Amino acid sequence: MYNVAEQFTSKSQVGLEAWKSVVNASLDGMGKLAALNLHTARAVAKQGAENFKALSEVRDMAGLKALQQPMAVAAVSQSVAYSRRAYHISNESSSAVVQVLGGQLSQAGRGVVGVLQEARKNTPPGVTFAVSSGKAMLSMVNSMLANLAQIAKPATEASAEPAVKMIAKTA
């Protein structure tokens, strides 16, 4: 016979560890974004000072026109680099969270199936329907997770394509 309190405690500890992993992955992503923002702010401030110095040295309209394109190209390339890095950080963080939650859900599904099978041994035959419904629900959730992974990959590839084209045009 199994002790429900012990099983509940062990499952709670596993859930707590998974929660810690999710929080750590999220905090790591936020730390990387904060560092990226700080680095970008410094680069923008430096570029702004250089632009201001170059603009203060301009004495005619031709000089101003000559500065216009390099300044715009520098701003666009900085923006694209920032966007690309922020996208990668976000993608890494969300992948880590999905991996932890997917593993946790898979583990929970196996645990629920085990509990349902144990409960089926100790219950009247009429509960067989509930057990089979639970198994069907878990297989559906596993299928949904697999479909989500298949959908997410083309979506991330498709969203990266316009940025690559924009970079190719500016280069």
Side-chain angles (χ1 to χ4, degrees), residues 37-54:
N37 287 338
L38 181 62
H39 174 73
T40 303
R42 286 180 181 160
V44 166
K46 181 180 174 184
Q47 187 67 39
E50 290 172 5
N51 288 347
F52 183 75
K53 182 180 176 188

Side-chain angles (χ1 to χ4, degrees), residues 16-135:
L16 183 61
E17 290 301 318
W19 178 250
K20 285 180 184 178
S21 297
V22 167
V23 169
N24 286 336
S26 299
L27 289 176
D28 184 45
M30 287 190 287
K32 287 179 181 179
L33 280 175
L36 174 65
N37 287 338
L38 181 62
H39 174 73
T40 303
R42 286 180 181 160
V44 166
K46 181 180 174 184
Q47 187 67 39
E50 290 172 5
N51 288 347
F52 183 75
K53 182 180 176 188
L55 285 172
S56 65
E57 293 173 358
V58 170
R59 299 292 178 225
D60 58 356
M61 195 57 118
L64 183 62
K65 282 189 171 190
L67 284 178
Q68 185 179 10
Q69 184 180 4
M71 285 182 182
V73 168
V76 168
S77 66
Q78 254 183 344
S79 175
V80 168
Y82 174 82
S83 297
R84 177 179 282 164
R85 184 64 187 134
Y87 171 79
H88 284 295
I89 290 170
S90 174
N91 196 19
E92 289 171 0
S93 297
S94 64
S95 294
V97 169
V98 166
Q99 184 179 11
V100 169
L101 292 179
Q104 183 67 18
L105 187 59
S106 172
Q107 193 175 29
R110 286 191 300 268
V112 168
V113 169
V115 168
L116 289 175
Q117 288 175 346
E118 187 65 33
R120 186 173 68 181
K121 293 177 185 175
N122 300 326
T123 57
V127 180
T128 306
F129 173 74
V131 172
S132 64
S133 296
K135 286 182 181 180

